[in-house]
Short mmCIF file of all heavy atoms in Angstrom, two decimals:
data_model
loop_
_atom_site.label_atom_id
_atom_site.label_comp_id
_atom_site.label_asym_id
_atom_site.label_seq_id
_atom_site.Cartn_x
_atom_site.Cartn_y
_atom_site.Cartn_z
N ASP E 1 -35.87 -46.90 17.16
CA ASP E 1 -35.58 -46.24 18.44
C ASP E 1 -34.61 -45.16 18.32
O ASP E 1 -33.37 -45.38 18.35
CB ASP E 1 -35.17 -47.28 19.48
CG ASP E 1 -35.06 -46.77 20.94
OD1 ASP E 1 -35.52 -45.61 21.17
OD2 ASP E 1 -34.50 -47.52 21.75
N PHE E 2 -35.09 -43.90 18.21
CA PHE E 2 -34.23 -42.76 18.16
C PHE E 2 -33.99 -42.02 19.49
O PHE E 2 -33.25 -41.06 19.56
CB PHE E 2 -34.81 -41.75 17.13
CG PHE E 2 -34.81 -42.17 15.78
CD1 PHE E 2 -35.98 -42.48 15.01
CD2 PHE E 2 -33.49 -42.26 15.09
CE1 PHE E 2 -35.91 -42.92 13.81
CE2 PHE E 2 -33.46 -42.72 13.72
CZ PHE E 2 -34.75 -42.96 13.06
N LEU E 3 -34.66 -42.48 20.53
CA LEU E 3 -34.53 -41.74 21.80
C LEU E 3 -33.07 -41.62 22.37
O LEU E 3 -32.75 -40.58 22.76
CB LEU E 3 -35.50 -42.34 22.85
CG LEU E 3 -37.00 -42.04 22.64
CD1 LEU E 3 -37.84 -42.59 23.85
CD2 LEU E 3 -37.30 -40.59 22.52
N PRO E 4 -32.35 -42.72 22.38
CA PRO E 4 -30.98 -42.66 22.90
C PRO E 4 -30.16 -41.63 22.06
O PRO E 4 -29.34 -40.87 22.73
CB PRO E 4 -30.49 -44.09 22.80
CG PRO E 4 -31.70 -44.92 22.89
CD PRO E 4 -32.77 -44.07 22.12
N THR E 5 -30.32 -41.63 20.81
CA THR E 5 -29.56 -40.68 19.93
C THR E 5 -29.95 -39.27 20.29
O THR E 5 -29.10 -38.34 20.38
CB THR E 5 -29.77 -40.97 18.50
OG1 THR E 5 -29.42 -42.33 18.17
CG2 THR E 5 -29.01 -40.10 17.66
N MET E 6 -31.21 -38.99 20.42
CA MET E 6 -31.76 -37.75 20.75
C MET E 6 -31.10 -37.29 22.16
O MET E 6 -30.70 -36.16 22.32
CB MET E 6 -33.30 -37.67 20.85
CG MET E 6 -33.98 -37.65 19.51
SD MET E 6 -35.70 -37.81 19.78
CE MET E 6 -36.08 -36.30 20.75
N ALA E 7 -31.22 -38.19 23.15
CA ALA E 7 -30.73 -37.85 24.48
C ALA E 7 -29.23 -37.47 24.48
O ALA E 7 -28.81 -36.59 25.09
CB ALA E 7 -31.06 -39.01 25.36
N GLU E 8 -28.56 -38.30 23.70
CA GLU E 8 -27.04 -38.03 23.66
C GLU E 8 -26.71 -36.69 22.97
O GLU E 8 -25.91 -35.98 23.48
CB GLU E 8 -26.37 -39.24 22.85
CG GLU E 8 -24.98 -39.45 23.30
CD GLU E 8 -24.37 -40.76 22.85
OE1 GLU E 8 -25.15 -41.81 22.97
OE2 GLU E 8 -23.34 -40.70 22.22
N LYS E 9 -27.42 -36.37 21.94
CA LYS E 9 -27.17 -35.13 21.17
C LYS E 9 -27.70 -33.96 21.96
O LYS E 9 -27.10 -32.89 21.94
CB LYS E 9 -27.77 -35.20 19.82
CG LYS E 9 -26.99 -36.19 18.96
CD LYS E 9 -27.60 -36.04 17.47
CE LYS E 9 -26.82 -37.03 16.70
NZ LYS E 9 -26.61 -36.68 15.36
N LEU E 10 -28.79 -33.96 22.67
CA LEU E 10 -29.40 -32.95 23.30
C LEU E 10 -28.97 -32.66 24.71
O LEU E 10 -29.04 -31.54 25.29
CB LEU E 10 -30.90 -33.13 23.31
CG LEU E 10 -31.66 -33.13 21.93
CD1 LEU E 10 -33.09 -33.41 22.12
CD2 LEU E 10 -31.43 -31.69 21.26
N GLY E 11 -28.56 -33.72 25.38
CA GLY E 11 -28.29 -33.64 26.84
C GLY E 11 -29.58 -33.83 27.61
O GLY E 11 -30.74 -33.78 27.05
N GLY E 12 -29.42 -34.12 28.89
CA GLY E 12 -30.66 -34.52 29.72
C GLY E 12 -31.80 -33.48 29.80
O GLY E 12 -32.90 -33.91 29.53
N GLN E 13 -31.50 -32.22 30.05
CA GLN E 13 -32.56 -31.26 30.12
C GLN E 13 -33.30 -30.99 28.85
O GLN E 13 -34.50 -30.93 28.83
CB GLN E 13 -31.98 -30.01 30.69
CG GLN E 13 -31.70 -30.09 32.22
CD GLN E 13 -31.17 -28.71 32.82
OE1 GLN E 13 -30.62 -27.94 32.15
NE2 GLN E 13 -31.42 -28.64 34.07
N ASP E 14 -32.46 -30.84 27.79
CA ASP E 14 -33.08 -30.60 26.42
C ASP E 14 -33.91 -31.81 26.01
O ASP E 14 -34.89 -31.66 25.35
CB ASP E 14 -32.07 -30.10 25.45
CG ASP E 14 -31.52 -28.75 25.76
OD1 ASP E 14 -32.23 -27.91 26.51
OD2 ASP E 14 -30.46 -28.39 25.27
N PHE E 15 -33.39 -32.92 26.26
CA PHE E 15 -34.06 -34.19 25.87
C PHE E 15 -35.41 -34.28 26.64
O PHE E 15 -36.48 -34.56 25.96
CB PHE E 15 -33.29 -35.39 26.23
CG PHE E 15 -33.93 -36.72 25.97
CD1 PHE E 15 -34.35 -37.08 24.66
CD2 PHE E 15 -34.31 -37.52 27.11
CE1 PHE E 15 -35.04 -38.25 24.44
CE2 PHE E 15 -34.99 -38.72 26.84
CZ PHE E 15 -35.35 -39.07 25.58
N MET E 16 -35.45 -33.97 27.86
CA MET E 16 -36.82 -33.99 28.68
C MET E 16 -37.71 -33.00 28.13
O MET E 16 -38.85 -33.14 28.04
CB MET E 16 -36.52 -33.80 30.15
CG MET E 16 -35.84 -35.00 30.82
SD MET E 16 -36.59 -36.57 30.42
CE MET E 16 -38.15 -36.42 31.25
N ALA E 17 -37.08 -31.80 27.70
CA ALA E 17 -37.96 -30.75 27.14
C ALA E 17 -38.56 -31.25 25.83
O ALA E 17 -39.78 -30.88 25.56
CB ALA E 17 -37.12 -29.47 26.86
N GLU E 18 -37.82 -31.95 25.01
CA GLU E 18 -38.38 -32.50 23.80
C GLU E 18 -39.39 -33.55 24.09
O GLU E 18 -40.48 -33.61 23.41
CB GLU E 18 -37.29 -33.10 22.98
CG GLU E 18 -36.41 -32.05 22.15
CD GLU E 18 -37.32 -31.17 21.28
OE1 GLU E 18 -38.14 -31.60 20.50
OE2 GLU E 18 -37.16 -29.93 21.47
N LEU E 19 -39.30 -34.45 25.04
CA LEU E 19 -40.33 -35.27 25.47
C LEU E 19 -41.60 -34.55 25.87
O LEU E 19 -42.71 -34.94 25.55
CB LEU E 19 -39.85 -36.23 26.62
CG LEU E 19 -38.97 -37.45 26.23
CD1 LEU E 19 -38.62 -38.19 27.48
CD2 LEU E 19 -39.66 -38.31 25.17
N CYS E 20 -41.45 -33.52 26.59
CA CYS E 20 -42.55 -32.66 27.01
C CYS E 20 -43.28 -32.10 25.82
O CYS E 20 -44.50 -31.99 25.76
CB CYS E 20 -42.14 -31.64 27.95
SG CYS E 20 -41.68 -32.27 29.58
N ASN E 21 -42.47 -31.61 24.81
CA ASN E 21 -43.03 -31.15 23.52
C ASN E 21 -43.89 -32.20 22.86
O ASN E 21 -44.99 -31.93 22.36
CB ASN E 21 -42.02 -30.57 22.62
CG ASN E 21 -41.39 -29.26 23.12
OD1 ASN E 21 -41.97 -28.57 23.79
ND2 ASN E 21 -40.15 -29.02 22.72
N GLY E 22 -43.33 -33.45 22.87
CA GLY E 22 -44.14 -34.51 22.30
C GLY E 22 -45.44 -34.77 23.03
O GLY E 22 -46.42 -35.05 22.32
N PHE E 23 -45.40 -34.59 24.34
CA PHE E 23 -46.58 -34.79 25.18
C PHE E 23 -47.65 -33.75 24.74
O PHE E 23 -48.77 -34.07 24.55
CB PHE E 23 -46.32 -34.69 26.60
CG PHE E 23 -47.46 -34.58 27.53
CD1 PHE E 23 -48.13 -35.79 27.89
CD2 PHE E 23 -48.06 -33.37 27.97
CE1 PHE E 23 -49.33 -35.76 28.64
CE2 PHE E 23 -49.10 -33.42 28.78
CZ PHE E 23 -49.78 -34.51 29.16
N ARG E 24 -47.19 -32.46 24.57
CA ARG E 24 -48.13 -31.44 24.23
C ARG E 24 -48.78 -31.64 22.80
O ARG E 24 -49.85 -31.19 22.57
CB ARG E 24 -47.40 -30.10 24.39
CG ARG E 24 -47.20 -29.57 25.83
CD ARG E 24 -46.78 -28.21 25.86
NE ARG E 24 -45.37 -28.03 25.55
CZ ARG E 24 -44.30 -28.31 26.32
NH1 ARG E 24 -44.58 -28.86 27.57
NH2 ARG E 24 -43.15 -28.09 25.97
N LEU E 25 -47.94 -32.31 22.00
CA LEU E 25 -48.53 -32.52 20.64
C LEU E 25 -49.75 -33.51 20.69
O LEU E 25 -50.61 -33.47 19.89
CB LEU E 25 -47.45 -33.18 19.73
CG LEU E 25 -46.44 -32.22 19.09
CD1 LEU E 25 -45.36 -33.07 18.34
CD2 LEU E 25 -47.00 -31.27 18.23
N LEU E 26 -49.72 -34.49 21.70
CA LEU E 26 -50.67 -35.48 21.76
C LEU E 26 -51.78 -35.17 22.79
O LEU E 26 -52.78 -35.85 22.78
CB LEU E 26 -49.98 -36.76 22.08
CG LEU E 26 -49.00 -37.33 21.08
CD1 LEU E 26 -48.22 -38.49 21.49
CD2 LEU E 26 -49.69 -37.59 19.71
N GLU E 27 -51.56 -34.28 23.70
CA GLU E 27 -52.50 -34.06 24.77
C GLU E 27 -53.85 -33.49 24.31
O GLU E 27 -53.95 -32.74 23.27
CB GLU E 27 -51.90 -33.28 25.94
CG GLU E 27 -51.81 -31.77 25.49
CD GLU E 27 -51.36 -30.91 26.73
OE1 GLU E 27 -51.56 -31.20 27.87
OE2 GLU E 27 -50.59 -29.86 26.38
N ASP E 28 -54.85 -33.61 25.10
CA ASP E 28 -56.09 -32.86 24.98
C ASP E 28 -55.85 -31.49 25.68
O ASP E 28 -55.63 -31.49 26.92
CB ASP E 28 -57.21 -33.62 25.65
CG ASP E 28 -58.53 -32.87 25.62
OD1 ASP E 28 -58.62 -31.62 25.95
OD2 ASP E 28 -59.53 -33.50 25.28
N PRO E 29 -55.83 -30.43 25.00
CA PRO E 29 -55.43 -29.15 25.58
C PRO E 29 -56.40 -28.65 26.77
O PRO E 29 -55.99 -27.96 27.70
CB PRO E 29 -55.49 -28.12 24.46
CG PRO E 29 -56.16 -28.86 23.35
CD PRO E 29 -56.20 -30.27 23.52
N GLN E 30 -57.64 -29.12 26.68
CA GLN E 30 -58.61 -28.73 27.75
C GLN E 30 -58.29 -29.57 28.99
O GLN E 30 -58.45 -29.07 30.11
CB GLN E 30 -60.07 -28.90 27.33
CG GLN E 30 -60.67 -27.74 26.48
CD GLN E 30 -60.28 -27.81 25.10
OE1 GLN E 30 -60.08 -28.87 24.47
NE2 GLN E 30 -60.01 -26.68 24.43
N LEU E 31 -58.01 -30.79 28.84
CA LEU E 31 -57.79 -31.71 29.91
C LEU E 31 -56.33 -31.74 30.50
O LEU E 31 -56.15 -32.12 31.65
CB LEU E 31 -58.28 -33.07 29.62
CG LEU E 31 -59.72 -33.24 29.23
CD1 LEU E 31 -60.02 -34.74 28.83
CD2 LEU E 31 -60.70 -32.89 30.36
N GLY E 32 -55.45 -31.41 29.62
CA GLY E 32 -54.03 -31.45 29.99
C GLY E 32 -53.44 -32.85 30.09
O GLY E 32 -52.35 -33.00 30.76
N VAL E 33 -54.07 -33.77 29.53
CA VAL E 33 -53.61 -35.20 29.54
C VAL E 33 -53.82 -35.82 28.15
O VAL E 33 -54.56 -35.29 27.31
CB VAL E 33 -54.35 -36.11 30.58
CG1 VAL E 33 -54.05 -35.64 31.98
CG2 VAL E 33 -55.87 -36.08 30.30
N ILE E 34 -53.18 -36.90 27.90
CA ILE E 34 -53.35 -37.65 26.65
C ILE E 34 -54.48 -38.66 26.90
O ILE E 34 -54.35 -39.62 27.75
CB ILE E 34 -52.14 -38.41 26.20
CG1 ILE E 34 -51.03 -37.37 25.86
CG2 ILE E 34 -52.42 -39.29 24.98
CD1 ILE E 34 -49.67 -37.98 25.62
N THR E 35 -55.56 -38.62 26.17
CA THR E 35 -56.67 -39.54 26.24
C THR E 35 -56.67 -40.28 24.89
O THR E 35 -55.94 -40.03 24.01
CB THR E 35 -57.99 -38.80 26.34
OG1 THR E 35 -58.16 -37.96 25.05
CG2 THR E 35 -58.08 -37.93 27.56
N LEU E 36 -57.46 -41.44 24.94
CA LEU E 36 -57.59 -42.15 23.75
C LEU E 36 -58.04 -41.26 22.54
O LEU E 36 -57.47 -41.35 21.42
CB LEU E 36 -58.62 -43.36 23.89
CG LEU E 36 -58.93 -44.11 22.62
CD1 LEU E 36 -57.64 -44.76 22.02
CD2 LEU E 36 -60.01 -45.19 22.92
N GLU E 37 -59.05 -40.40 22.86
CA GLU E 37 -59.54 -39.49 21.83
C GLU E 37 -58.48 -38.50 21.28
O GLU E 37 -58.29 -38.35 20.09
CB GLU E 37 -60.64 -38.68 22.33
CG GLU E 37 -61.42 -37.84 21.25
CD GLU E 37 -61.91 -38.57 20.06
OE1 GLU E 37 -62.36 -39.71 20.20
OE2 GLU E 37 -61.83 -38.05 18.93
N SER E 38 -57.68 -37.87 22.13
CA SER E 38 -56.60 -36.96 21.76
C SER E 38 -55.54 -37.76 20.99
O SER E 38 -54.98 -37.24 20.07
CB SER E 38 -56.00 -36.22 22.97
OG SER E 38 -55.29 -36.94 23.75
N LEU E 39 -55.19 -38.95 21.46
CA LEU E 39 -54.19 -39.79 20.77
C LEU E 39 -54.66 -40.09 19.37
O LEU E 39 -53.90 -39.98 18.44
CB LEU E 39 -53.92 -40.96 21.59
CG LEU E 39 -52.74 -41.86 21.15
CD1 LEU E 39 -51.37 -41.03 21.10
CD2 LEU E 39 -52.57 -42.99 22.12
N ARG E 40 -55.83 -40.50 19.30
CA ARG E 40 -56.55 -40.84 17.97
C ARG E 40 -56.48 -39.57 17.00
O ARG E 40 -56.02 -39.62 15.90
CB ARG E 40 -57.90 -41.31 18.09
CG ARG E 40 -58.66 -41.72 16.83
CD ARG E 40 -60.13 -42.05 17.03
NE ARG E 40 -60.33 -43.09 18.06
CZ ARG E 40 -61.16 -42.89 19.15
NH1 ARG E 40 -61.74 -41.82 19.27
NH2 ARG E 40 -61.34 -43.88 19.94
#
């Protein structure tokens, strides 16, 4: 579990931005959501 360390080092806004970056890595770009297929 690295999330608390990330949050502490980045601060709230930057941490949320990093979570959003993680979302974009896994999402289906056409649908804008993470599906089983995009996750796979």
Side-chain angles (χ1 to χ4, degrees):
D1 187 7
F2 290 112
L3 287 184
T5 303
M6 285 177 57
E8 205 164 315
K9 288 186 182 213
L10 295 174
Q13 288 182 331
D14 289 340
F15 173 68
M16 290 308 295
E18 283 303 310
L19 280 181
C20 292
N21 288 337
F23 172 80
R24 284 190 287 282
L25 284 173
L26 298 172
E27 77 175 324
D28 177 313
Q30 279 80 34
L31 300 175
V33 295
I34 297 173
T35 63
L36 174 60
E37 185 59 36
S38 71
L39 190 55
R40 183 185 305 124

